[in-house]
Amino acid sequence: QPPLVLEELAPLERKVVEILLGESLPRDQLIQTLGLPIGEINRLLIGLEIKGLIKETLGELQINPKYSINSPQ
């Protein structure tokens, strides 16, 4: 897989990825951190999961380890 460039993501997708770069989080904690309506966040997370960018393991969301994250300077 080529590296994932954060600037190529939609703003909310990028925010989720940036939050999950530091640590994996339970879905409820991520929802609380984002402070957006639950339905909107769930649609966003499902989209990121379908794209293969994030995955949920043992109840926690994390960046899919097959990706390296690059941010152009």
Side-chain angles (χ1 to χ4, degrees):
Q1 275 294 348
L4 174 64
V5 179
L6 293 179
E7 283 70 20
E8 293 175 358
L9 298 174
L12 282 177
E13 291 177 328
R14 184 177 5 192
K15 187 171 184 176
V16 169
V17 169
E18 287 171 343
I19 291 169
L20 294 176
L21 280 175
E23 61 183 325
S24 58
L25 292 175
R27 183 178 293 260
D28 290 345
Q29 187 174 343
L30 181 63
I31 288 170
Q32 186 176 29
T33 299
L34 290 170
L36 297 169
I38 293 172
E40 184 177 344
I41 294 172
N42 281 330
R43 281 190 299 276
L44 175 66
L45 295 176
I46 289 168
L48 288 169
E49 288 178 285
I50 289 170
K51 291 179 182 180
L53 302 178
I54 65 171
K55 65 180 196 167
E56 190 164 2
T57 305
L58 301 174
E60 294 203 344
L61 294 161
Q62 62 184 7
I63 300 295
N64 190 331
K66 73 178 181 179
Y67 283 99
S68 60
I69 309 297
N70 286 348
S71 183
Q73 310 267 338

